[in-house]
């Protein structure tokens, strides 16, 4: 009985599980599992940190690239804006001139007595006679050649005919628009001492004033104007008005015309310009709002269409390149568009200025011709 119980007890003891060992094995297993889990977690976190860090660096690089791209674009726009919107002068610079007509020269009398038969028989008299005939035909080159030949052949440099020849040379140069030659001939002649007793003294003053003004010698022109004012105030008033019209000084011309004896007929011609003139600033503003509108405002429809199409094309191309991420092509296209845009603004202003100049030239020339305000039309004598 005891033996059987012992054997049973030993069998139970072998088949039973040791609670202490089991606990130790569970702790060890848990420790191993925790260690593996911890290692795996640590490794996963490290991989995640590495990827996150790379993404952050990539985002930072992209941000820096975008920043520098925007800065470069801003700088480019600034340069193009300054270059394209340069300050332009829209003061009128008309080109108003009058070519003397042959019929007008023929109708004017000579301030000097005609050549006598005895004078015509002399060598210098024949040259002078031929020069007068050429001059009345406005063959000024041959006329000057004949006058100079007669001047060289004349025996008396202090005589009246000698001064007449010098005047004829000056008049021929003046009719030909050779203002520098007019001044040089006058300053080397005996006419520098001429006074009111000279038969063509008023005409000489008119020619000298115009020649000095065209040559840019304003001080001498003002001195001549003082002499004209002293001997003929009406002529001085006409010359002042004529100069304001030729210079394109609209405000001054209208002010002088309002005080002119013929203001009733002069002012309406000048008022036509004021009613039809275009504003350069308005043309620029319209073209800034809608490219091409400024050109359309001044009547240049083909230029307006060209400007609109070019700006639309380059704007659409730049938008497409930026939207596709092609920054370089976008910047290049935008720079080209900026040139067209800002250049179009200035172009519209210049187009308005050109329109006004043409308009003023037409109105001004009509006024000066109708009222005989050109210096050549003020002359009372010819050859």
């Amino acid at each position: 009985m005891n033996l059987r119980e012992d054997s049973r007890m030993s069998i139970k003891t072998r088949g039973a599980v040791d609670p202490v060992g089991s606990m130790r094995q569970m702790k060890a297993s848990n420790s191993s599992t925790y260690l593996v889990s911890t290692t795996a977690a640590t490794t996963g976190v490290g991989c995640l940190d590495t990827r996150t860090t790379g993404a952050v660096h990539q985002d930072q690089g992209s941000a820096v690239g975008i920043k520098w791209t925007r800065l470069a674009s801003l700088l480019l726009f600034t340069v193009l804006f300054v270059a394209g919107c340069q300050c332009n002068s829209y003061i009128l610079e008309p080109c108003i001139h009058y070519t003397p007509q042959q019929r007008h020269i023929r109708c004017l009398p000579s301030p000097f007595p005609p050549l006598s038969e005895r004078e015509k028989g002399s060598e210098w008299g024949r040259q002078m006679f031929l020069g007068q005939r050429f001059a009345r035909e406005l063959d000024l080159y041959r006329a000057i050649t004949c006058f100079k030949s007669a001047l060289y052949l004349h025996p008396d440099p202090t005589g009246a005919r000698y001064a007449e020849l010098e005047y004829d040379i000056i008049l021929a140069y003046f009719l030909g628009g050779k203002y520098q030659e007019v001044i040089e001939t006058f300053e080397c002649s005996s006419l520098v001492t001429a006074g009111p007793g000279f038969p063509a003294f008023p005409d000489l003053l008119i020619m000298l004033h115009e020649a000095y003004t065209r040559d840019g010698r304003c001080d001498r022109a003002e001195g001549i104007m003082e002499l004209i004012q002293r001997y003929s105030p009406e002529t001085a008033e006409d010359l002042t008005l004529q100069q304001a019209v030729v210079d394109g000084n609209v405000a001054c011309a209208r002010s002088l015309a309002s005080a002119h004896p013929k203001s009733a007929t002069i002012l309406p011609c000048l008022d036509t310009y004021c009613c039809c003139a275009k504003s350069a600033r308005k043309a620029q503003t319209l073209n800034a709002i809608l490219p091409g509108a400024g050109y359309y405002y001044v009547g240049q429809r083909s230029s307006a269409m060209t400007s609109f199409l070019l700006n639309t094309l380059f704007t659409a191309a730049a938008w497409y390149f930026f939207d596709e991420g092609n920054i370089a092509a976008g910047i290049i296209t935008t720079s080209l568009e900026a040139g067209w845009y800002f250049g179009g603004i200035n172009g519209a202003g210049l187009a308005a200025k050109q329109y006004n100049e043409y308009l003023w030239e037409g109105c001004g020339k009509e006024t000066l011709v109708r009222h005989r305000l050109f210096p050549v039309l003020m002359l009372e004598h010819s050859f």
Side-chain angles (χ1 to χ4, degrees), residues 101-121:
Q101 304 297 316
Q102 184 177 344
R103 63 179 181 272
H104 174 71
I105 300 300
R106 284 182 173 181
C107 295
L108 297 177
S110 173
F112 307 100
L115 291 170
S116 64
E117 294 298 327
R118 181 171 177 274
E119 291 174 330
K120 289 181 181 179

Side-chain angles (χ1 to χ4, degrees), residues 91-92 94 241 243-255 360:
I91 299 175
L92 294 182
L241 176 58
Q243 193 61 46
V245 173
V246 171
D247 292 341
N249 193 336
V250 180
C252 181
R254 296 189 76 257
S255 176
W360 181 255

